[in-house]
């Protein structure tokens, strides 16, 4: 279907202008094409998938979409901004815990057995009153606000202080990773506030509705699908805007951008905070989908997995990253269900194959295939070998310039 | 099947598919009615795999034995295996898959408390039945879980009784930083106050921590009468090695462990832990006729060098207890099986066990043992008879503060 689209829109204008100018500045036609494709995909997810998948599989798909939202954010920060962030589990966790805290309080409020209106782990940990930190989360509006605000704020503060010191590349990646490790230790250590390694689980109600009913699960699914689409369109817009170009410029030559009079600190901080907010949102959606959030899901390994999904999908393409997250997680489920004993080796093999044979990920494969097809068509039309040499060299999204750590 | 009817037109599509998949007829039954599907959900990858694979092996052994013997209600047991991958969300996801897509009759699985807590809501809302095989921190009694390991009054409390009997007056508490050690130490602290035991220090280290020289140094300096060890996993290896290097011997300061069984001793090194006490309900050396059969069957199936441990034995029992309850209920339906649980007895490798229907825990004998030079554990003390399960410690006055939590569900 997408191949059809591509052909339909590129055929009227196969001139060098439209073919050679890539992503950040699409033609008006291509601009309109994108939202239309997204709407078609949303409709397919909502109307067609339920015909083939049972509730458990739909739920799994919603879970993959949560990871896709994280991937979209990372694609902006890493692919466009060159900030290799190995700690997005932290922001995923902050968003997830913000909503989970509210849902936990909602459960406790309806449970006449709960002692002193406290979650069970607080009682075991010797607390007698609800800690101050938890109080505002009784309000659903505050919790929803915190889902994006807290990750955004933390990332903005961290980003600002780090980028101002011109920390980048591997140092930034290590710093992020350390942050993820420290965050997990904090969550586990503060058992009376966080539930420790068990995390928070069992969320029967939201705003008075039974979250476990098939209707509610369906509503959650719809929300996840629509949110994914909106986040994608928004990040797509940001990447295609003037700011998006500036971000790529900072990635490829931070000092040059500084000499031109821009402040790279703010450019990078904004992208980093936006990607953290996407991760927070994903974490919050993950909570009603999977019914649990725990430190295990936010540490170093899950953070690396987020980045791997983006690498598989193609970090320079926002759509590619999202598709990569869905494909990778679907592959993981398929492998582990088919080979409970050895799936992890298959997954490892998938990573190796993709990184070796398709360093720009699935999106890179699609781009080169489309380009090859176009060249072949043009060759047939003109009857000779076309000017393929310069076209392959001018794919700016594909070049990995100095600003981007690997 | 108690599934809520869809109310709105928007959900009817989805509901149609779910209803079609949920099917009619007995839970877990295949079309031809020759087999009954059960789930096996343990970590086959990740940090917990080394422990959980042994439990999986025991469950498989029991299933094979029952199948060779004609199955349950004339049906062969067909295990469906999933990997929990040492990750709570994966446990929740796979539990959901087993219950909703595979429609299994019951599930044997879990090891860590975190994995159990993650699976609990899934089992409750799908009305499944989980058999959980590991000793744990108590304070829980779900209608949808049968706990075949010990709760605190069958392991930690008897271990404390043993230490007091031995004349120890001060304890040093060391544990991994998660829910089991923290809850265990709360219980220990409350017990200590009531029994004039002095708690010298309460230390926690992150899971997987390996640097214990500060703590072993402190133990050497403070000279507690005994150490109560709730460390989990690899940390035990470093802790016992460094303890021995610090010159602390079991004669000066015995270190009583509640998470070190036969399976772990090899990794720790026999020379490092020999002579230290451990508390469980079962050892490979436990002298019962059922245990002789179990150990030889297990070693025949998996190799002479394999050891058997308490969680393995509890998982093995779980399959037999479930089969007995199914036979008693003459049904695979969870509600019928649950109704039949109370009073199911078995002469298990650990001795006689009985299911208590109220808490869905087992009455079982408590045992303290000492690690011997072969890396096995010799029993040095046991309760006179099986101890009734008391997950909320309602029978202990000193535990009032801990256990005012909801009762009776």
């Amino acid at each position: 279907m997408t191949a059809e689209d591509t052909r339909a829109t590129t055929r009227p204008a196969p001139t060098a202008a439209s073919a050679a100018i890539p992503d950040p500045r699409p033609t008006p036609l291509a601009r309109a094409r994108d939202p239309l494709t997204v709407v078609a995909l949303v409709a397919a997810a909502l109307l067609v998938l339920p015909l083939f998948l049972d509730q458990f599989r739909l739920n799994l798909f919603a879970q993959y979409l949560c990871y896709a939202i994280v991937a979209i954010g990372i694609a902006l920060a890493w692919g466009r901004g060159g900030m290799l962030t190995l700690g997005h589990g932290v922001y995923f966790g902050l968003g997830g815990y913000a909503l989970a805290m509210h849902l936990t309080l909602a459960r406790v409020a309806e449970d006449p057995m709960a002692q002193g209106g406290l979650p069970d782990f607080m009682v075991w940990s010797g607390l007698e009153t609800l800690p101050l930190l938890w109080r505002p989360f009784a309000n659903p509006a505050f919790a929803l606000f915190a889902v994006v605000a807290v990750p955004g704020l933390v990332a903005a503060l961290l980003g600002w202080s780090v980028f101002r010191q011109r920390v980048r590349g591997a140092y930034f990646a290590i710093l992020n990773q350390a942050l993820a490790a420290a965050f997990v230790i904090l969550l586990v250590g503060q058992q009376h506030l966080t539930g420790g390694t068990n995390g928070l689980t069992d969320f029967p109600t939201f705003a008075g509705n039974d979250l476990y009913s098939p209707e509610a699960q369906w509503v959650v699914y719809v929300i996840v699908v629509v949110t994914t689409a909106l986040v994608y369109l928004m990040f797509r817009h940001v990447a295609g805007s003037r700011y998006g170009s500036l971000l790529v410029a900072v990635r490829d030559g931070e000092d040059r951008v500084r000499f031109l009079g821009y402040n790279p600190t703010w450019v990078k901080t904004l992208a980093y905070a936006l990607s953290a907010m996407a991760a927070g949102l994903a974490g919050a959606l993950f909570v009603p989908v999977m019914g649990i959030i725990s430190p295990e899901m936010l540490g170093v390994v899950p953070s690396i997995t987020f980045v791997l999904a983006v690498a598989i999908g193609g970090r320079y393409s926002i759509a590619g990253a999202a598709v990569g997250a869905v494909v990778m997680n679907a592959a993981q489920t398929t492998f582990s269900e088919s080979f409970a004993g050895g799936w992890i080796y298959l997954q490892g093999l998938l990573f190796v194959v993709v990184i070796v044979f398709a360093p720009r990920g699935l999106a890179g494969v699609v781009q080169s295939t489309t380009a090859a097809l176009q060249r072949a068509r043009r060759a047939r039309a003109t009857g000779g070998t076309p000017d393929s040499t310069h076209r392959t060299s001018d794919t700016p999204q594909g070049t990995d310039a100095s600003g981007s750590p690997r | 099947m108690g599934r809520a009817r869809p109310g709105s037109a928007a959900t009817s599509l989805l509901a149609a598919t779910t209803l079609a998949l949920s099917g009619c007829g007995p839970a877990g039954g295949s079309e031809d009615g020759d087999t009954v599907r059960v789930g096996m959900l343990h970590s086959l990858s990740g940090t917990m795999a080394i422990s959980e694979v042994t439990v999986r092996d025991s469950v498989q052994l029991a299933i094979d034995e029952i199948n060779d013997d004609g199955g349950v209600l004339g049906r062969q047991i067909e295990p469906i295996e999933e990997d929990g991958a040492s990750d709570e969300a994966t446990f929740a996801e796979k539990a959901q898959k087993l219950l909703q897509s595979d429609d299994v009759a019951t599930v044997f699985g879990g090891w860590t408390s975190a994995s159990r807590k993650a699976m609990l809501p899934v089992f409750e809302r799908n009305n499944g039945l989980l058999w959980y095989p590991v000793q744990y921190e108590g304070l829980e009694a779900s209608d949808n879980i049968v706990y075949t390991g010990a709760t605190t009054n069958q392991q930690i409390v008897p271990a404390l009784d043993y230490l007091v009997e031995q004349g120890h007056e001060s304890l040093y508490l060391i544990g991994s930083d998660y829910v089991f050690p923290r809850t265990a130490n709360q219980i220990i602290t409350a017990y200590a106050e009531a029994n004039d035991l002095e708690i010298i220090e309460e230390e926690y280290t992150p899971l997987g921590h390996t640097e214990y020289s500060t703590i072993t140094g402190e133990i050497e300096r403070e000279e507690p009468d005994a150490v109560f060890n709730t460390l989990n996993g690899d940390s035990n290896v470093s802790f016992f090695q460094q303890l021995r290097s610090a010159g602390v011997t079991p004669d000066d300061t015995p270190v009583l462990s509640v998470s070190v069984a036969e399976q772990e001793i090899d990794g720790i090194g026999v020379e490092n832990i020999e002579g230290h006490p451990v508390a469980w309900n079962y050892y490979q050396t436990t002298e019962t006729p059922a245990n002789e059969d179990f150990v030889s069957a297990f070693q025949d199936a998996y190799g002479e060098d394999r050891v058997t441990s308490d969680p393995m034995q509890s998982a093995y029992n779980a399959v037999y207890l479930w089969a007995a309850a199914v036979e008693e209920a003459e049904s695979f339906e969870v509600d019928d099986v649950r109704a039949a649980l109370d009073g199911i007895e078995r002469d298990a490798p650990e001795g006689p066990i009985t299911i208590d229907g109220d808490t869905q825990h087992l009455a079982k004998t408590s045992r303290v043992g000492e690690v011997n030079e072969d890396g096995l554990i010799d029993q040095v003390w046991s309760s006179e008879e099986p101890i009734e399960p008391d997950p909320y410690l309602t029978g202990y006055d000193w535990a009032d503060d801990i256990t005012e939590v909801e009762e009776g569900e």
Side-chain angles (χ1 to χ4, degrees), chain A residues 50 54-56 58-60 63 113 115 124 188 191 197-198 212 215 290 292 294 296 336-337 343, chain B residues 5 7 14 17-18 21 83 86 88 93-94 96-97 101 114 117-118 125 177-179 182 186 404:
Chain A
D54 63 34
Q55 196 175 348
F56 166 68
L58 272 188
N59 211 8
L60 270 186
Q63 185 195 331
M113 297 297 211
Q115 185 194 16
W124 306 336
V188 172
Q191 189 179 205
T197 39
N198 284 356
Y212 291 157
E215 290 89 346
M290 282 314 289
I292 179 169
S294 80
E296 191 80 25
S336 79
E337 283 178 5
W343 64 274
Chain B
R5 289 282 149 188
L14 178 68
T17 48
T18 39
L21 270 143
D83 178 9
S86 310
E88 295 84 32
E93 174 193 317
K94 299 296 184 189
Q96 205 175 354
K97 180 208 172 240
S101 289
K117 293 269 183 206
R125 69 176 188 259
D177 199 354
Y178 74 107
V179 65
R182 284 195 176 260
Q186 264 174 30
E404 284 168 352

Side-chain angles (χ1 to χ4, degrees), chain A residues 46-47 50-60 63-64 67 111 113-115 120-121 123-126 185 188-191 195-199 201-203 212-219 286 289-292 294-297 302 332-334 336-341 343-344, chain B residues 3-8 10-11 13-15 17-18 21 44-47 81-83 85-90 92-94 96-98 100-101 113-122 124-125 137-140 177-180 182-183 186 206-207 401-402 404-409:
Chain A
L46 293 184
L47 299 175
L51 296 178
F52 300 102
L53 301 178
D54 63 34
Q55 196 175 348
F56 166 68
R57 297 288 159 192
L58 272 188
N59 211 8
L60 270 186
Q63 185 195 331
Y64 304 156
Y67 293 132
D111 183 359
M113 297 297 211
Q115 185 194 16
D120 46 7
F121 63 84
V123 179
W124 306 336
S125 307
I185 292 172
V188 172
Q190 302 299 309
Q191 189 179 205
T197 39
N198 284 356
T201 178
D202 197 6
F203 314 117
Y212 291 157
S213 70
E215 290 89 346
Q217 288 290 313
W218 173 246
V219 171
F286 184 86
V289 169
M290 282 314 289
I292 179 169
S294 80
E296 191 80 25
M297 289 161 226
Q332 178 172 334
T333 307
T334 315
S336 79
E337 283 178 5
S338 320
F339 314 98
W343 64 274
I344 210 153
Chain B
R3 200 177 283 276
R5 289 282 149 188
S8 74
T11 60
L13 271 183
L14 178 68
T17 48
T18 39
L21 270 143
L44 309 178
S45 58
T47 52
E81 183 164 31
E82 290 292 347
D83 178 9
S86 310
D87 170 67
E88 295 84 32
T90 309
E93 174 193 317
K94 299 296 184 189
Q96 205 175 354
K97 180 208 172 240
L98 288 169
Q100 292 184 355
S101 289
S113 286
S115 71
R116 189 191 67 253
K117 293 269 183 206
M119 290 189 283
L120 184 141
V122 178
E124 288 191 342
R125 69 176 188 259
E137 68 279 1
L139 306 177
E140 193 180 290
D177 199 354
Y178 74 107
V179 65
F180 171 71
R182 284 195 176 260
T183 317
Q186 264 174 30
L207 280 166
D401 281 352
I402 307 167
E404 284 168 352
V405 199
E406 74 266 39
E407 251 289 283
E409 301 294 296

